[in-house]
Amino acid sequence: MTTGVAGSFPTGLGSNPGHPVPLGFVFRSRAKEEKAATADQASLTDSKQPRDPQAPKGRPTPKRSEAQTQRRSVANTSMTRKDAAKRQRDERRAQMEKQRQALAGGDERYLPARDKGPVRKFARDTIDSRFNVAEFFLPMAVVILVLSMVQVGALQSIALLLWLVVIVLIVLDSILTGLRLKKRLAERFPDQNRKGAVAYALMRSLQMRRLRLPKPQVKRGERP
């Protein structure tokens, strides 16, 4: 029969039957564990609380002089960007002015990309050196329109006939000019890109001579 001491566990229940564990020691250990768990939970709760947005995490609040220096640097950066944008606008305006002068004078260095190159120059000179039916389309159209507005049957019939004649002449002249120019371009520039040059020349032939850009550099009848 197992005997025990009052205020302690029975002898057979402990890991060391010869030395019984006092009850006060057990209660104190549990109390300490509960206090430690409560402290850990409180520390976790404090760490989850929202941080002041004005105080950077892990860094001290900057001094007023440092904050002013940062604001000045940002302001200087924004001014630099404004200066760069203004410089770009000025350069673009200067480039456009050079292109306008080149279109008036024929300077190849500053012409737009669609007008640059010896192929395009030859096509322009070919059109400018001859009379084209299409360049008289606008004045003839004004005359035909006036005739068609007159309340006379004969004049209206003449106006309609003139419309047909003008259109046929423009088509035939454009076809002949395009074939002749294509042949001359192939002979003069066999190794260069001639794509779009014929269409470029025909579009130029639709404009009146004084309105063409770049300005004509050859006279009528002058072979380019």
Side-chain angles (χ1 to χ4, degrees):
M1 181 175 180
T2 306
T3 60
V5 181
S8 64
F9 286 108
T11 305
L13 297 179
S15 60
N16 191 358
H19 300 280
V21 180
L23 292 177
F25 175 77
V26 176
F27 291 148
R28 285 196 301 271
S29 298
R30 290 182 179 178
K32 290 181 180 179
E33 291 177 358
E34 291 178 357
K35 289 181 180 179
T38 304
D40 294 340
Q41 185 175 2
S43 62
L44 291 175
T45 304
D46 294 339
S47 63
K48 293 180 179 179
Q49 288 181 354
R51 181 176 54 86
D52 187 1
Q54 296 181 355
K57 184 177 180 180
R59 292 180 297 175
T61 304
K63 297 180 180 180
R64 180 177 298 177
S65 59
E66 295 177 356
Q68 290 178 354
T69 303
Q70 293 177 358
R71 285 196 294 269
R72 290 195 193 98
S73 62
V74 172
N76 292 333
T77 304
S78 62
M79 289 298 293
T80 303
R81 291 176 181 175
K82 291 181 180 178
D83 293 340
K86 184 177 182 299
R87 190 179 303 111
Q88 290 179 356
R89 288 195 299 269
D90 294 340
E91 292 177 355
R92 192 181 303 112
R93 191 178 298 109
Q95 183 67 22
M96 292 178 63
E97 179 63 22
K98 289 181 180 179
Q99 287 186 0
R100 187 187 66 80
Q101 294 178 359
L103 289 173
D107 191 350
E108 285 282 337
R109 295 175 299 172
Y110 303 109
L111 286 176
R114 65 181 179 86
D115 299 314
K116 281 185 176 181
V119 176
R120 296 301 174 96
K121 185 178 186 305
F122 183 82
R124 289 196 305 271
D125 293 343
T126 301
I127 295 299
D128 296 337
S129 64
R130 61 187 300 272
F131 287 94
N132 304 277
V133 179
E135 66 180 290
F136 301 104
F137 172 77
L138 186 59
M140 288 188 296
V142 173
V143 173
I144 294 172
L145 182 61
V146 172
L147 292 176
S148 64
M149 294 176 63
V150 178
Q151 299 299 324
V152 178
L155 292 179
Q156 291 181 351
S157 299
I158 293 173
L160 180 60
L161 182 61
L162 285 176
W163 269 119
L164 295 176
V165 172
V166 168
I167 292 174
V168 171
L169 289 176
I170 290 175
V171 171
L172 291 177
D173 185 64
S174 298
I175 292 174
L176 294 176
T177 302
L179 293 176
R180 190 181 299 113
L181 178 60
K182 185 176 181 180
K183 181 180 179 180
R184 294 187 64 185
L185 286 174
E187 294 174 354
R188 183 71 65 89
F189 308 100
D191 300 329
Q192 296 191 27
N193 184 15
R194 304 183 300 274
K195 184 177 180 180
V198 175
Y200 170 78
L202 294 179
M203 290 297 296
R204 185 177 179 85
S205 68
L206 292 174
Q207 302 172 347
M208 298 179 65
R209 182 181 173 87
R210 67 181 62 183
L211 300 179
R212 293 172 183 171
L213 290 176
K215 293 292 185 182
Q217 302 296 314
V218 296
K219 298 179 179 180
R220 301 273 194 185
E222 183 180 350
R223 187 179 181 84

